[in-house]
Amino acid sequence: MAGPRCPVCREAIERGVETFPFCSRRCRTLDLGDWLGESYRVADAPAPEAEGALLQRLLGSEDEWPSA
Ligand SMILES: [Zn+2]
C-alpha cells in the first residue's frame, strides 16, 4: 500500500501536492535539469540522428556487422 513517491529523492509524497509527482519544487527542477542535461534515462539511448544512421546501416549493409 505504498503511496506515490518522488521519482527524484524517493520520499513518500501526498497526492494533490502542488508539485506532484515530485515532493517539492527542488526535486521537480532537478528532474527537469536532468532531462535537459541528457543524463537521465536517455543515457543509454542513441540520439535521433545516430539512430537513423544505425538503421540505415542495418538496412543497407548487414555485412559490416560482425557475426557472433
Ligand atoms: Zn523529492
Side-chain angles (χ1 to χ4, degrees), residues 25-58:
R25 290 189 175 200
R26 178 176 165 276
C27 281
R28 187 172 63 180
T29 302
L30 279 174
D31 189 71
L32 183 63
D34 283 344
W35 270 108
L36 293 176
E38 294 183 14
S39 60
Y40 188 62
R41 275 185 241 179
V42 294
D44 57 349
E49 57 267 31
E51 199 171 12
L54 182 65
L55 187 64
Q56 204 153 36
R57 287 185 63 186
L58 284 170

Side-chain angles (χ1 to χ4, degrees), residues 6 8-9 23-24 27:
C6 174
V8 175
C9 70
C23 71
S24 64
C27 281

